Amino acid sequence: MHKFSYRGGRLFCEGVDLGRLAEETGTPAYVYSAGTLLENYRRLEAAFSSLDHRVCYAIKANSNLAVLDLLARAGSGFDIVSGGELFRVLAAGGSPARTTFAGVGKSVAEIETALRAGIYSLNVESETELERIEAVAARLGLEAPVAIRVNPDVDAGTHAFISTGRSLNKFGIGLDRAGEVYRRAANCRHLKLRGIQTHIGSQILETRPFVEAIEKLLPLVRALKREYQIEFFSIGGGMGIVYEQALASGHADWWTQPATTPRLDPETYAAALLPLLEPLGLKILLEPGRSLVGNAGALLATVEYVKQAPGKTFVIVDTAMNDLIRPALYDGWHEIVPLQEPASDARLAVDVVGPVCESGDFIAKDRKLPPLKAGDRLAILSTGAYGSSMASNYNSRPLAPEILVHGDTHRVVRQRQTLHDLIASESEPAR
Ligand SMILES: *Cc1c(COP(=O)(O)O)cnc(C)c1O
């Protein structure tokens, strides 16, 4: 679901003309649709309304304060993976009591800050981490709420870099060890066993891996509830989105999504999982990242050059892997559409590449796009998740601005970095 569409031949995000926005703010620039984000959140909420549940948005997908503020106001909790993300949640007015802290490498300082803030749960990924949390909690004279991330060893059928639920991944504790680890944790005075967590991977478009993982964990979950009165079961995130977009258009249906495109709606996801979860009588936590924000974002870019090479046409744009690393990092595929709707059906296969000095710096390969020329503006769609949050200054390129659209209005929610910002925290050695 998203609110990007052509009106009178021009691409709009909700009520905002993106061509005019690009003139005003320059490119590259990220644009987010608040309406899309909130609708995604509300649909998921509604789908699980029969259950005692909480959505904990995984903020690593997009951690802009304005995004966090929108979701906090809508009632969302948060799932974080660093002290920096905790700082963001608190800055955005999010509640630590509705926040869970995941990640395999929590430092002593991060654990201490999270406990002092009153985190809902530290989701523990190893036995040594459990010992560290017990030691920090003892020193602070606190009881640390913990859940153990259990790795169900299922194949999510997704890209190897975003699959986390196999025993060969670095995440979680194996199902065979989990019971023993809980028993040890139960004997620690400064630990409170609050729940159990799992997360099997990302961009999953079928219900089967989720069902399989939950079914494998159910006997353990029931035993933990009986023996330690745990209060929650977090089933993680990982719901996939459709990257091939059908854009609503006044023109002939220019982008039509094949009916065979796999998709996972919140309703389908809930329908598959509710029968397994409802009998448990536990609070169910959901940790969606991509499925809330992915389709809510677009990255605006301008064509700098069209370069003809033997047997290949390169469309060189002003955005690059430092702004959007998904294509280079895990073969991420993004729909690319001109801000001005093309007049004809002519298509040419081109590589869309950025100015960064790496052969891995591409946005799309062998993509059939309308004829393009320098100065044309494009939108790279479905870039709301793992776009700006993974951006870097590589090649000393300032970070792109982020703009939040709400109805007919827009607001810059992160300024474009200046050249001065690039070097502001650096210094030359004293001479
Ligand atoms: C990244 C992550 C998520 C969110 O994953 P999505 O695929 O974006 O939904 C949820 N939980 C944990 C523990 C994560 O690391």
Side-chain angles (χ1 to χ4, degrees):
M1 204 299 295
H2 66 77
K3 295 178 188 286
F4 291 85
S5 62
Y6 284 117
R7 288 196 204 165
R10 299 172 67 84
L11 190 67
F12 275 67
C13 171
E14 302 191 27
V16 171
D17 180 331
L18 292 179
R20 284 176 58 183
L21 187 63
E23 289 300 323
E24 189 182 312
T25 61
T27 58
Y30 276 102
V31 183
Y32 307 131
S33 155
T36 306
L37 181 59
L38 290 173
E39 189 162 325
N40 288 341
Y41 175 80
R42 289 187 188 124
R43 264 181 79 179
L44 187 64
E45 268 293 316
F48 281 88
S49 59
S50 65
L51 208 60
D52 179 15
H53 74 283
R54 179 185 299 155
V55 173
C56 293
Y57 166 60
I59 89 165
K60 71 179 191 286
N62 185 324
S63 50
N64 185 288
L65 288 189
V67 168
L68 303 185
D69 171 76
L70 270 182
L71 286 169
R73 282 170 196 273
S76 185
F78 298 98
D79 181 58
I80 58 170
V81 293
S82 72
E85 288 193 347
L86 176 58
F87 183 74
R88 283 182 177 275
V89 166
L90 298 177
S95 162
R98 301 169 70 80
T99 300
T100 53
F101 193 158
V104 296
K106 298 178 199 77
S107 69
V108 166
E110 286 175 326
I111 293 167
E112 181 166 339
T113 311
L115 289 179
R116 284 189 192 279
I119 198 94
Y120 178 65
S121 177
L122 292 167
N123 294 345
V124 177
E125 307 233 10
S126 66
E127 297 176 57
T128 43
E129 184 190 339
L130 211 50
E131 287 162 19
R132 178 179 280 187
I133 293 170
E134 162 77 1
V136 174
R139 178 161 54 77
L140 298 179
L142 295 172
E143 202 179 37
V146 296
I148 290 169
R149 174 167 178 175
V150 179
N151 187 330
D153 194 22
V154 299
D155 185 357
T158 185
H159 190 282
F161 285 10
I162 54 176
S163 168
T164 59
R166 301 296 306 279
S167 54
L168 45 78
N169 297 124
K170 69 178 176 182
F171 299 100
I173 290 174
L175 192 49
D176 52 335
R177 297 269 315 130
E180 171 59 21
V181 177
Y182 270 97
R183 246 187 311 284
R184 284 186 48 199
N187 289 324
C188 297
R189 277 186 41 220
H190 294 278
L191 298 182
K192 173 176 174 50
L193 298 182
R194 180 157 273 174
I196 175 170
Q197 196 267 356
T198 194
H199 173 70
I200 58 172
S202 201
Q203 187 52 17
I204 300 167
L205 286 166
E206 13 158 43
T207 54
R208 180 198 52 81
F210 295 111
V211 168
E212 214 174 284
I214 291 171
E215 278 178 340
K216 281 180 94 167
L217 293 181
L218 280 181
L220 174 66
V221 176
R222 285 194 212 97
L224 295 175
K225 186 187 177 209
R226 203 168 50 237
E227 285 168 42
Y228 310 116
Q229 294 79 50
I230 61 164
E231 64 187 54
F232 79 85
F233 176 19
S234 172
I235 61 172
M239 251 198 295
I241 60 170
V242 176
Y243 279 96
E244 297 87 353
Q245 286 304 317
L247 283 192
S249 164
H251 199 257
D253 44 353
W254 202 72
W255 284 279
T256 36
Q257 210 169 318
T260 52
T261 305
R263 57 162 68 247
L264 183 59
D265 295 323
E267 296 78 18
T268 312
Y269 176 71
L273 304 190
L274 284 174
L276 299 173
L277 300 173
E278 270 168 348
L280 287 173
L282 288 170
K283 181 189 280 295
I284 301 300
L285 266 52
L286 308 162
E287 302 168 359
R290 185 192 314 266
S291 58
L292 294 187
V293 289
N295 287 334
L299 174 58
L300 307 184
T302 305
V303 176
E304 294 281 9
Y305 300 97
V306 178
K307 175 175 171 176
Q308 289 295 341
K312 194 87 144 166
T313 303
F314 292 100
V315 173
I316 303 170
V317 293
D318 64 354
T319 189
M321 66 188 290
N322 73 296
D323 300 309
L324 179 68
I325 203 174
R326 292 191 68 262
L329 188 60
Y330 19 61
D331 281 330
W333 193 101
H334 291 273
E335 194 75 71
I336 301 175
V337 298
L339 297 193
Q340 185 72 49
E341 190 172 11
S344 86
D345 290 341
R347 298 291 177 271
L348 295 170
V350 298
D351 280 12
V352 179
V353 301
V356 162
C357 299
E358 296 282 346
S359 295
D361 180 33
F362 63 92
I363 304 291
K365 285 194 166 159
D366 287 320
R367 185 67 61 82
K368 288 208 164 89
L369 291 180
L372 292 167
K373 58 181 190 314
D376 286 351
R377 300 219 196 256
L378 304 172
I380 303 161
L381 299 181
S382 307
T383 45
Y386 306 108
S388 63
S389 65
M390 285 185 149
S392 78
N393 286 125
Y394 188 40
N395 277 211
S396 288
R397 292 169 49 85
L399 294 179
E402 297 175 278
I403 298 149
L404 185 70
V405 167
H406 211 153
D408 297 335
T409 63
H410 71 272
R411 194 158 55 85
V412 176
V413 293
R414 183 176 75 192
Q415 300 288 336
R416 186 183 304 282
Q417 250 185 347
T418 64
L419 293 176
H420 192 77
D421 292 337
L422 276 182
I423 57 166
S425 56
E426 298 176 23
S427 58
E428 296 165 40
R431 260 189 279 270

